[in-house]
Amino acid sequence: MDINELKNNILFLLEKNDELTFDEIKKMLKWTEDSRPLRKALSELVRESKVQRVPNYEKKRIVFKKVK
């Protein structure tokens, strides 16, 4: 899966769900390979201002939200 396809899949997941942790995204994509390409895609989406990193104090984790 190339990086653009991965970014589109992440954006699609974040449209359906309000906020997701990295592990939830990984689980929903059924990602079993090395996590580095997935982390790279998420970081590029954050840099492009398409996705926000927000602390969730209930889950005690950083969650990702799609910017509207």
Side-chain angles (χ1 to χ4, degrees):
M1 184 180 303
D2 72 329
I3 192 89
N4 290 324
E5 186 179 347
L6 189 54
K7 286 164 56 172
N8 288 334
N9 288 342
I10 292 169
L11 286 173
F12 179 74
L13 284 176
L14 290 173
E15 279 180 19
K16 286 192 165 192
N17 303 289
D18 187 35
E19 54 185 37
L20 294 171
T21 64
F22 177 78
D23 291 331
E24 291 170 338
I25 292 171
K26 188 175 177 180
K27 185 178 176 184
M28 291 177 129
L29 288 175
K30 296 180 176 113
W31 193 265
T32 57
E33 304 166 28
D34 187 20
S35 296
R36 285 179 283 189
L38 187 56
R39 290 188 187 279
K40 182 179 179 185
L42 268 169
S43 65
E44 284 184 15
L45 286 169
V46 169
R47 273 187 243 122
E48 294 168 2
S49 298
K50 294 181 180 176
V51 172
Q52 271 185 321
R53 288 174 36 136
V54 181
N56 184 320
Y57 298 107
E58 293 172 9
K59 293 182 181 180
K60 297 182 181 174
R61 303 235 182 252
I62 295 290
V63 294
F64 296 93
K65 294 175 92 173
K66 187 173 182 206
V67 175
K68 297 183 181 182

